[in-house]
């Protein structure tokens, strides 16, 4: 009976894996978009759960690292290309038998194309020179690395702080990142945002089926696969010696240090791993929606991730991931308005009230979340009977 949670988990994975292939509703694209977004939030909520629920490091900067990952791949794909000939006017470097061309930063102007050095060169070439954009997957990898390196640097700087001090520092860091992105209009285009290529900009063929750049199935499986990868890494870490030390830090940091645990090292490591996951989710999501703006970093988005983790179960990253998917679907479902007694209830507003009430009820009456206790209950099925049987067998012997 101990395998019940694992079997239920496999059934849930199988359900999401088969869903795009069997669902045939008229609102197919919309439902797929909701689930892709749900997987995105599930990665953020589960990684934040590992950081806060397992390691006891309450950070408000998770969305900042997600934004670093998103803007890392956006800037890479926007400004770098490979050309077979030098432009003579852009910044460029020899790259094997080609040239690595870096476009000039021109921001948002009324004469953008006229100031774009690459566009000027392409106009002069008249199609005689091949210009190749950077691979999307390389941009995602670089965005993930950027988020992880940023997490490492911030962790080395602030993880000696505790409780409210850490939360306030990471909140300030998030606002700084947002302010820098908004202010550097020449590079980031500010509120106008940066456009990105799609995950499969030229389409893709899977098992003999052709998918265009706008089809939902490829990004669905990419985001779902990333979620499973992150959960697999978190599970491995939680069950390892690392997970034992991290939980020791959460329970009593002084006692763990007295027993020889390098507390700063383990806190920095878990911070780096979880921020890299957030950056990876941000990079993939950026290519899915094909635009990034500073609005990604609003405090409301961070609050939503925290609420999803809390409602799912902040001390169980699997429960946090399931809670994020469930709440994303629920919030979208609650957008449908209805009429009671001739009075129309606008659920586009009241759905957030419902969400807030659900959060307060969870905090007051279900401190371990709504989903984590269910997982624990299934895990304990048959344990009492097994224990009694072992005691009887021992007594007989």
């Amino acid at each position: 009976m101990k395998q019940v949670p694992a079997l239920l988990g496999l059934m849930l994975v199988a359900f999401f894996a088969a869903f795009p292939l069997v669902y045939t509703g008229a609102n197919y694209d919309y439902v797929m978009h909701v689930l892709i977004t749900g997987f995105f939030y599930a990665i953020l909520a589960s990684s934040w759960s590992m950081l806060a629920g397992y390691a006891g490091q309450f950070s408000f900067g998770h969305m900042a690292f997600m934004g670093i990952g998103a803007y890392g791949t956006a800037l890479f794909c926007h400004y770098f290309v490979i050309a077979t000939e030098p432009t003579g006017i852009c910044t460029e470097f020899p790259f094997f038998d080609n040239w690595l061309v870096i476009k000039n930063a021109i921001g948002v102007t009324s004469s953008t194309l006229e100031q774009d050095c690459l566009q000027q060169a392409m106009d002069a070439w008249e199609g005689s020179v091949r210009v190749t954009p950077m691979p999307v997957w390389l941009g995602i990898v670089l965005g993930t690395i950027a988020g992880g390196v940023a997490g490492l640097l911030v962790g080395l700087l602030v993880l000696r702080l505790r409780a409210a001090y850490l939360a306030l520092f990471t909140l300030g860091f998030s606002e700084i990142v947002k302010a820098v992105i908004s202010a550097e209009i020449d590079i980031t285009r500010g509120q106008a945002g940066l456009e990105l290529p799609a995950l499969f900009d030229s389409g893709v063929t899977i098992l003999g089926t052709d998918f265009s750049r706008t089809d939902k199935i490829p990004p669905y499986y990419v985001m779902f696969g990333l979620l499973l990868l992150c959960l697999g890494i978190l599970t491995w870490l939680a069950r390892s010696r690392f997970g034992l030390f991290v939980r020791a830090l959460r329970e009593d940091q002084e006692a763990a240090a007295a027993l020889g645990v390098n507390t700063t090292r383990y806190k920095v490591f878990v911070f780096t791993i979880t921020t890299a996951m957030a950056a990876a989710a941000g990079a993939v999501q950026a290519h899915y929606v094909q635009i990034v703006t500073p609005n990604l970093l609003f405090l409301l988005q961070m609050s939503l991730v925290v609420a999803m983790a809390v409602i799912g179960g902040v001390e169980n990253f699997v429960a946090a991931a399931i809670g994020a998917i469930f709440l994303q679907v629920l919030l979208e479902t609650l957008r449908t308005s209805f009429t009671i007694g001739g009075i129309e209830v606008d659920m586009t507003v009241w759905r957030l009230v419902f969400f807030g009430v659900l959060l307060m009820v969870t905090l007051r009456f279900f401190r371990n979340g709504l989903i984590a206790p269910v997982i624990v209950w299934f895990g304990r099925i048959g344990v009492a009977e097994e224990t009694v049987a072992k005691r009887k067998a021992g007594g007989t012997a």
Side-chain angles (χ1 to χ4, degrees):
M1 299 301 290
K2 293 181 179 180
Q3 288 76 29
V4 171
L7 291 175
L8 291 176
L10 289 175
M11 291 173 60
L12 190 61
V13 170
F15 169 79
F16 283 120
F19 182 84
L21 307 178
V22 298
Y23 183 73
T24 57
N27 59 345
Y28 183 86
D29 285 348
Y30 170 70
V31 171
M32 292 286 285
H33 172 73
V34 171
L35 289 177
I36 293 171
T37 306
F39 297 153
F40 164 69
Y41 279 116
I43 297 171
L44 297 177
S46 59
S47 57
W48 187 86
S49 173
M50 169 61 82
L51 181 62
Y54 280 72
Q57 307 300 311
F58 199 93
S59 168
F60 270 117
H62 218 53
M63 294 302 287
F65 299 105
M66 183 280 297
I68 290 174
Y71 268 92
T73 186
L75 292 171
F76 176 73
C77 292
H78 181 80
Y79 283 105
F80 293 81
V81 297
I82 298 293
T84 55
E85 297 291 340
T87 64
I89 52 178
C90 296
T91 302
E92 50 205 2
F93 304 94
F95 185 75
F96 296 99
D97 294 330
N98 298 303
W99 290 82
L100 176 64
V101 179
I102 306 176
K103 296 167 60 176
N104 56 326
I106 56 178
V108 183
T109 66
S110 58
S111 55
T112 299
L113 293 180
E114 288 77 3
Q115 298 182 35
D116 188 333
C117 65
L118 180 62
Q119 186 62 47
Q120 294 178 32
M122 292 177 66
D123 291 341
W125 290 331
E126 296 181 343
S128 61
V129 175
R130 186 174 74 252
V131 177
T132 306
M134 286 297 178
V136 166
W137 302 108
L138 179 57
I140 292 174
V141 170
L142 292 177
T144 302
I145 293 174
V149 170
L152 173 63
L153 296 177
V154 172
L156 290 172
L157 180 64
V158 308
L159 286 182
R160 297 181 186 275
L161 303 176
R162 299 185 186 178
Y165 297 102
L166 175 61
L168 288 174
F169 187 99
T170 52
L171 175 61
F173 171 75
S174 181
E175 291 300 307
I176 289 173
V177 172
K178 178 185 173 184
V180 169
I181 292 174
S182 300
E184 291 298 325
I185 298 176
D186 286 347
I187 299 175
T188 65
R189 290 172 53 88
Q191 293 296 330
L194 280 172
E195 295 183 2
L196 294 85
L199 281 171
F200 301 95
D201 207 43
S202 300
V204 63
T205 301
I206 302 176
L207 299 177
T209 303
D210 295 328
F211 296 95
S212 69
R213 64 192 300 273
T214 58
D215 279 323
K216 299 295 184 183
I217 286 183
Y220 176 95
Y221 283 114
V222 169
M223 192 68 80
F224 184 53
L226 180 61
L227 171 60
L228 294 180
L229 175 62
C230 290
L231 290 178
I233 294 174
L234 293 176
T235 300
W236 174 67
L237 290 175
R239 294 179 177 178
S240 66
R241 186 181 181 187
F242 167 84
L244 178 64
F245 287 162
V246 164
R247 285 191 290 273
L249 296 179
R250 179 193 64 191
E251 298 300 332
D252 193 330
Q253 182 171 323
E254 286 75 15
L259 292 174
V261 177
N262 189 328
T263 57
T264 301
R265 176 191 299 172
Y266 281 96
K267 287 195 293 185
V268 169
F269 186 73
V270 71
F271 197 82
T272 303
I273 292 294
T274 54
T275 53
M277 289 181 179
V284 173
Q285 181 73 358
H287 284 286
Y288 167 62
V289 299
Q290 299 177 44
I291 189 171
V292 289
T293 70
N295 294 337
L296 291 171
L297 307 180
F298 276 161
L299 181 59
L300 178 61
Q301 296 293 321
M302 184 69 237
S303 303
L304 180 60
V305 171
V306 173
M308 286 175 167
V310 170
I311 292 174
V314 72
E315 294 183 8
N316 187 316
F317 51 81
V318 174
I322 297 173
I325 298 171
F326 169 75
L327 288 172
Q328 175 62 22
V329 173
L330 181 63
L331 285 173
E332 290 299 321
T333 303
L334 289 176
R335 286 183 181 275
T336 304
S337 301
F338 58 89
T339 303
I340 298 180
I343 300 176
E344 183 178 356
V345 180
D346 185 3
M347 289 304 296
T348 57
V349 176
W350 282 97
R351 70 191 185 100
L352 297 179
V353 175
F354 176 84
F355 181 76
V357 171
L358 179 62
L359 177 61
M360 289 189 292
V361 169
T362 302
L363 290 172
R364 176 62 182 85
F365 299 103
F366 305 95
R367 297 295 297 274
N368 292 327
L370 299 178
I371 298 176
V374 176
I375 296 176
V376 172
W377 183 81
F378 276 111
R380 290 178 177 175
I381 293 178
V383 172
E385 292 80 358
E386 183 180 347
T387 303
V388 171
K390 287 182 177 179
R391 287 179 178 176
K392 288 182 177 179
T396 302

